[in-house]
Amino acid sequence: MQINLTGHHVDLTEALRNYVNEKFERLERHFDNVIDVHVILTVEKLQQKAEANLLLSGNSIHAEATHTDMYAAIDALVDKLDRQVVKHKEKLKDHHRAEGSHRNHIE
């Protein structure tokens, strides 16, 4: 999984980069078909914003989260993405299961 990290009005420290990488490893444990991740960290006045685009095999997922603390915003972002990735994975399973049962009814 390739992680691209961009900062807008944010100094991307080594600690922040490590934190993002560590958190996104959790997503890879749930679904190993994540091809590319683009994370954008932004400071807008008093709000810290974290957003990401995930490129999966055959799909892309977008999520964003804002908080007064950047680390909390990253946590919220990863939680949202985790739920979306699990939902995507379940859709793939259900689709294949439905496809197989449809074939059995035709024969």
Side-chain angles (χ1 to χ4, degrees):
M1 170 172 64
Q2 175 71 35
I3 299 177
N4 298 312
L5 187 58
T6 306
H8 291 241
H9 310 292
V10 172
D11 183 23
L12 293 176
T13 63
E14 195 63 34
L16 206 51
R17 287 181 186 279
N18 290 339
Y19 192 76
V20 168
N21 288 331
E22 183 182 300
K23 289 293 177 178
F24 274 84
E25 283 176 10
R26 187 175 108 194
L27 289 178
E28 204 169 23
R29 274 187 259 137
H30 281 212
F31 191 65
D32 57 358
N33 290 353
V34 178
I35 299 167
D36 188 47
V37 179
H38 188 190
V39 181
I40 303 169
L41 305 178
T42 312
V43 174
E44 297 173 347
K45 294 185 181 176
L46 300 175
Q47 288 293 319
Q48 316 284 319
K49 181 178 173 185
E51 59 183 299
N53 290 308
L54 262 67
L55 185 61
L56 307 173
S57 53
N59 202 358
S60 66
I61 294 175
H62 175 81
E64 60 183 59
T66 56
H67 200 277
T68 54
D69 176 53
M70 183 59 83
Y71 290 95
I74 294 167
D75 287 343
L77 173 71
V78 172
D79 288 343
K80 286 181 181 182
L81 287 170
D82 196 39
R83 284 193 299 270
Q84 289 185 31
V85 165
V86 168
K87 189 175 177 183
H88 174 73
K89 190 175 175 181
E90 287 170 359
K91 276 185 184 178
L92 288 177
K93 280 187 198 171
D94 289 346
H95 177 72
H96 291 300
R97 190 176 304 130
E99 207 174 85
S101 65
H102 177 69
R103 286 190 189 134
N104 292 339
H105 292 336
I106 293 174
E107 293 175 10

